[in-house]
Amino acid sequence: MRMKTSRFGTFYLSLFFVILYLPVLSVILYSFNASPSTAQWTGFTLDWYRTLFEDRVIAASFRISMEVAVITSIVSAILGTASAVVAMRSTAGMKRAIQGVMILPLLIPEVALGIALLIFFNLLNLPFGHFTLVASHSLFCVPYVYIMVQLRLKEIDRSILESARDLGATRWQATRTIILPLVTPSIITASLLALAMSLDDVIISTYMSGPRTTTLPVHIFSMMRVGVTPKVNALCTLILVGMFFVVGLSQLFTKKRHKEDL
Amino acid sequence: MRGCRRWQLNEHFDRQYLLNYTNFTTTIVAQAGKGLFVKQPLLSLVNINKFFGDFHVLKDISFDIRQGEFLTLLGPSGCGKTTLLRCIAGLESVHSGDILLNGSSIRGMAPNKRNVNTVFQNYALFPHLNVYDNIAYGPRVKKSMGEGELKGKVADVLELVQMLGYEKRMPHQLSGGQRQRIAIARALINEPAILLLDEPLGALDLKLRKHMQTELSQLQKKTGTTFVYVTHDQEEALNMSDRIVVMDQGVVQQLGSPRDIYNNPVNYFVTTFIGDRNILQVKVVETSETHAQVQFGEHVVTIRNSGQHRIEEGQTAILAVHMDKMRVSCEQTANAFVGEVLSVHYAGSQIRIRIKVGNKSITVVEYQKIDCDCEAGDQVYVTWEDHGATLLPPEDGWAEGEV
């Protein structure tokens, strides 16, 4: 009886993963398909990757995406960490207020957020481009950094900070020499997450992109209008590999962090 | 104006000098005829009050801490001893009263500005810094010495706590006792006027705790640093301290030498908290200057009366006698209780004998070979050393049914 349940469990789980990952696998597979149609497999080729790298528009939008993502992750790392540190030092009421403000962007539907930002930036007469993209991406990335850093701060024993003060450190010195080194792994993990989220955001980026600043996901979306070409498959495969790399890197930092704990 | 300032500087220098070398400067200063010397306490607590919300944690606490002493704050958990320590360190604020260090108020001063350092209960070592950097932390943030001088100082304090050679270790690679030593070294490198220790041995096992007790008091003597030590363990307090402050419910119950606290408790709380005592309700028959005659059941015995309490004839009183200062004898003795042995327990080095006297059961702890090889059911005579007994007037908190 027991055996049967466990066998069913294994089967169920396998099915689950197959259904989940089959489409992803097919994207990778078809990126190497010689035929431009997804209907049949006619042979192995790297042609799609070659045309991909020759495509200037894709290269340009990739560059924009990367620039926006890197700046976004830096901005949200700074803002998120600062808010978490301030929240830690605040009274209970203030802490709750900061928490609320931080979580809010995650609760607002992205479509609504996008439209709101569009109207807002339009009103301010700001040109849509790098700035609007970074500002809007930071809006939904800061909360993730805040949450992750705040979780780490909670783990830090309060008496460590007290002993730093006791030994002669000013508030700022204690923050710089004790808190920041202890939360750095969390900050790095969180900013890699922010990088990943900024890189694959479509909805808000659609609203925020300027005429010459289309991000990669927005461009892919527009390419889809003329049908899925194997070039898109090739591009998605590369993005997938890139993301795995980023996530793997962040895992590495999480591991290192646990080693240091007493 | 300029002259005035210089004079102030001189006075300041003199004071520091005095405080550091109180003993032999006394004569020098007297000879110099400056008349400046007043024996000032190192730290004075003046009517300290502290609330956590509505809870009155510290109630009007006042006492002085002397230069170079080992002072212990002793009390049950929740008595406010750790809070008081944190108030001295500056980690908690006080609601009223004042804290004077070398005569000047440090109330409201940030913890990093106070010349006192704390050893925390859980050591609070910085997990991301190695032993060397942990110890060097204080001088570095205060920029009080160059790296060259620092190197020698770190080696000095490491030698003091017998941890030379551990500079490169990370805190998580150290045992509890080793972390403890590093925490002490990290505080001592700042040469604090007072070292505050918050139950530093609480997390160690019994054997290591005993060992560290000896080491701590040796360290205190060697460095001459004033130690203020918080503990709930009376044995620790009696072993190490020059003076003990017994606290309960935010109030200082008694302040005195270990011997004083142990033999002459001032009230019912200290009597029951320190040492193991048999407590009996007695009737006072007659009092003299040094002794009192009291009646317990049909026994009338003479008890030492220290004279610090008002014991009135005809009143009831509390008689408290140290279990280990009582003796059991088979022969009839004067000034003794007669009782029947209920049980005899051999507990290693000590023998615990329970004896029924009147309607009460008392316990006698004997260490040596007993004069009287008694068994349950035997009739025995119980005597006691004169200074082992204390007579107290009845008071609040004394419940007859309890004893």
Side-chain angles (χ1 to χ4, degrees):
Chain A
M1 188 64 204
R2 201 134 210 246
M3 192 70 186
K4 258 185 196 164
T5 348
S6 118
R7 207 174 275 169
F8 174 75
T10 317
F11 170 73
Y12 177 78
L13 211 63
S14 314
L15 192 69
F16 179 80
F17 280 118
V18 166
I19 291 172
L20 203 67
Y21 287 109
L22 206 57
V24 179
L25 274 175
S26 72
V27 165
I28 298 172
L29 205 63
Y30 277 113
S31 72
F32 298 107
N33 188 5
S35 158
S37 147
T38 49
Q40 72 220 66
W41 177 265
T42 55
F44 179 84
T45 181
L46 287 173
D47 272 359
W48 305 116
Y49 287 92
R50 191 173 47 78
T51 52
L52 182 69
F53 287 121
E54 278 166 1
D55 191 326
R56 289 228 173 145
V57 186
I58 286 178
S61 60
F62 175 71
R63 237 188 72 192
I64 289 162
S65 262
M66 278 312 286
E67 283 163 5
V68 168
V70 168
I71 299 171
T72 298
S73 75
I74 293 171
V75 167
S76 28
I78 295 169
L79 290 181
T81 307
S83 338
V85 171
V86 169
M88 179 187 69
R89 296 230 157 121
S90 308
T91 55
M94 189 64 189
K95 203 178 272 182
R96 228 171 299 135
I98 294 174
Q99 187 104 1
V101 171
M102 280 292 147
I103 305 298
L104 208 59
L106 302 181
L107 300 178
I108 301 173
E110 262 191 90
V111 179
L113 199 63
I115 291 173
L117 287 168
L118 182 72
I119 296 169
F120 180 68
F121 287 137
N122 218 355
L123 219 67
L124 291 179
N125 233 345
L126 278 171
F128 287 89
H130 278 74
F131 176 77
T132 50
L133 280 167
V134 168
S136 56
H137 285 191
S138 299
L139 192 64
F140 63 81
C141 285
V142 169
Y144 286 102
V145 180
Y146 169 81
I147 290 169
M148 292 182 79
V149 172
Q150 189 232 14
L151 282 177
R152 174 66 179 143
L153 283 175
K154 264 192 199 159
E155 287 173 20
I156 298 177
D157 189 350
R158 266 208 112 83
S159 62
I160 288 177
L161 300 179
E162 286 181 342
S163 82
R165 297 275 284 139
D166 185 74
L167 291 168
T170 59
R171 252 167 205 278
W172 166 239
Q173 280 176 319
T175 309
R176 195 169 49 83
T177 57
I178 306 298
I179 298 180
L180 282 183
L182 287 177
V183 296
T184 300
S186 291
I187 298 175
I188 293 174
T189 313
S191 34
L192 286 174
L193 189 71
L195 191 83
M197 284 196 306
S198 167
L199 272 179
D200 78 7
D201 178 73
V202 180
I203 301 174
I204 289 183
S205 301
T206 309
Y207 290 104
M208 291 298 121
S209 291
R212 252 174 264 139
T213 52
T214 310
T215 63
L216 192 58
V218 176
H219 183 67
I220 294 171
F221 209 65
S222 64
M223 281 165 77
M224 300 286 287
R225 255 174 268 168
V226 289
V228 183
T229 66
K231 201 157 87 175
V232 173
N233 286 337
L235 186 54
C236 289
T237 305
L238 286 183
I239 293 175
L240 203 68
V241 171
M243 284 299 169
F244 276 155
F245 180 71
V246 170
V247 173
L249 214 60
S250 74
Q251 285 296 310
L252 217 69
F253 277 102
T254 321
K255 274 229 180 87
K256 186 170 174 274
R257 198 191 83 181
H258 285 300
K259 243 190 186 165
E260 261 183 16
D261 279 333
L262 281 176
Chain B
M1 194 59 206
R2 192 179 252 188
C4 177
R5 190 182 293 159
R6 191 177 297 150
W7 179 81
Q8 280 180 340
L9 277 173
N10 279 339
E11 187 196 38
H12 180 70
F13 172 75
D14 281 343
R15 255 196 213 160
Q16 287 298 333
Y17 193 64
L18 280 179
L19 287 161
N20 289 336
Y21 304 99
T22 322
N23 292 333
F24 59 88
T25 45
T26 314
T27 43
I28 299 172
V29 174
Q31 278 167 2
K34 284 190 180 174
L36 245 169
F37 183 78
V38 185
K39 193 161 187 200
Q40 190 182 38
L42 179 62
L43 187 101
S44 300
L45 301 171
V46 187
N47 302 102
I48 301 286
N49 278 290
K50 164 92 187 157
F51 294 85
F52 283 138
D54 287 337
F55 184 51
H56 201 166
V57 202
L58 299 175
K59 297 172 189 159
D60 227 23
I61 293 208
S62 299
F63 62 86
D64 289 342
I65 297 168
R66 297 174 194 154
Q67 172 69 41
E69 75 174 330
F70 194 127
L71 184 94
T72 299
L73 305 180
L74 175 67
S77 40
C79 73
K81 54 190 191 300
T82 294
T83 308
L84 184 60
L85 195 82
R86 290 171 60 85
C87 286
I88 299 173
L91 300 169
E92 298 281 353
S93 59
V94 296
H95 284 88
S96 68
D98 208 350
I99 303 172
L100 307 171
L101 183 64
N102 289 332
S104 47
S105 174
I106 56 167
R107 185 185 166 184
M109 199 185 259
N112 52 320
K113 301 265 188 252
R114 300 183 185 203
N115 189 19
V116 296
N117 286 119
T118 312
V119 175
F120 290 85
Q121 188 170 10
N122 54 357
Y123 324 129
L125 295 181
F126 307 127
H128 61 299
L129 299 179
N130 66 21
V131 166
Y132 184 91
D133 292 332
N134 257 289
I135 295 175
Y137 188 81
R140 275 179 182 160
V141 291
K142 287 190 291 194
K143 299 183 179 71
S144 58
M145 51 183 98
E147 286 295 320
E149 191 190 343
L150 186 59
K151 209 169 177 182
K153 278 290 240 183
V154 172
D156 286 349
V157 290
L158 275 175
E159 196 183 352
L160 212 56
V161 296
Q162 297 165 35
M163 287 289 286
L164 267 177
Y166 285 84
E167 288 88 341
K168 293 274 171 285
R169 296 275 191 100
M170 295 304 282
H172 66 89
Q173 295 170 314
L174 300 175
S175 71
Q178 290 173 329
R179 283 182 207 171
Q180 178 67 78
R181 287 156 197 258
I182 300 306
I184 293 168
R186 185 177 68 170
L188 280 178
I189 198 170
N190 297 300
E191 294 176 356
I194 305 177
L195 186 68
L196 307 168
L197 302 109
D198 183 10
E199 307 213 18
L201 307 185
L204 305 179
D205 62 66
L206 186 68
K207 204 174 163 194
L208 194 54
R209 203 152 64 212
K210 298 249 183 203
H211 178 71
M212 286 300 283
Q213 280 181 19
T214 328
E215 221 165 85
L216 268 180
S217 46
Q218 277 171 359
L219 189 66
Q220 195 262 336
K221 299 236 156 46
K222 213 178 341 178
T223 58
T225 310
T226 309
F227 276 32
V228 176
Y229 189 95
V230 161
T231 185
H232 60 263
D233 183 339
Q234 50 164 305
E235 191 207 318
E236 225 169 84
L238 294 167
N239 264 346
M240 296 194 282
S241 326
D242 294 321
R243 291 197 301 158
I244 298 174
V245 179
V246 183
M247 289 180 68
D248 185 42
Q249 298 184 355
V251 178
V252 173
Q253 304 284 342
Q254 187 170 2
L255 195 165
S257 67
R259 178 188 285 260
D260 216 27
I261 300 264
Y262 193 72
N263 288 331
N264 300 314
V266 294
N267 60 24
Y268 184 66
F269 172 77
V270 182
T271 310
T272 48
F273 187 69
I274 306 284
D276 284 325
R277 284 182 167 92
N278 289 302
I279 290 176
L280 304 169
Q281 190 184 8
V282 294
K283 200 167 174 215
V284 182
V285 180
E286 201 187 316
T287 60
S288 71
E289 248 171 59
T290 56
H291 286 79
Q293 276 210 322
V294 299
Q295 185 183 4
F296 175 70
E298 65 234 45
H299 306 98
V300 176
V301 291
T302 307
I303 300 288
R304 171 187 77 131
N305 183 8
S306 57
Q308 52 182 332
H309 307 290
R310 258 181 84 83
I311 307 287
E312 285 178 38
E313 289 174 19
Q315 300 278 322
T316 54
I318 304 165
L319 169 62
V321 192
H322 276 297
M323 291 176 182
D324 55 357
K325 292 200 168 143
M326 292 182 119
R327 295 285 165 267
V328 173
S329 166
C330 293
E331 258 107 80
Q332 182 154 13
T333 327
N335 207 33
F337 289 139
V338 186
E340 186 194 322
V341 176
L342 291 174
S343 62
V344 181
H345 293 282
Y346 289 86
S349 60
Q350 48 168 258
I351 305 159
R352 299 176 73 88
I353 307 155
R354 280 179 58 231
I355 297 159
K356 189 165 186 270
V357 177
N359 53 1
K360 283 262 153 46
S361 140
I362 62 172
T363 305
V364 177
V365 176
E366 293 265 14
Y367 285 97
Q368 303 95 343
K369 194 172 158 280
I370 334 178
D371 306 342
C372 162
D373 202 9
C374 54
E375 282 173 26
D378 291 354
Q379 178 173 295
V380 291
Y381 297 86
V382 181
T383 58
W384 52 90
E385 289 169 39
D386 201 35
H387 64 273
T390 308
L391 207 53
L392 292 168
E395 60 175 282
D396 297 342
W398 146 259
E400 242 179 273
E402 264 177 37
V403 191

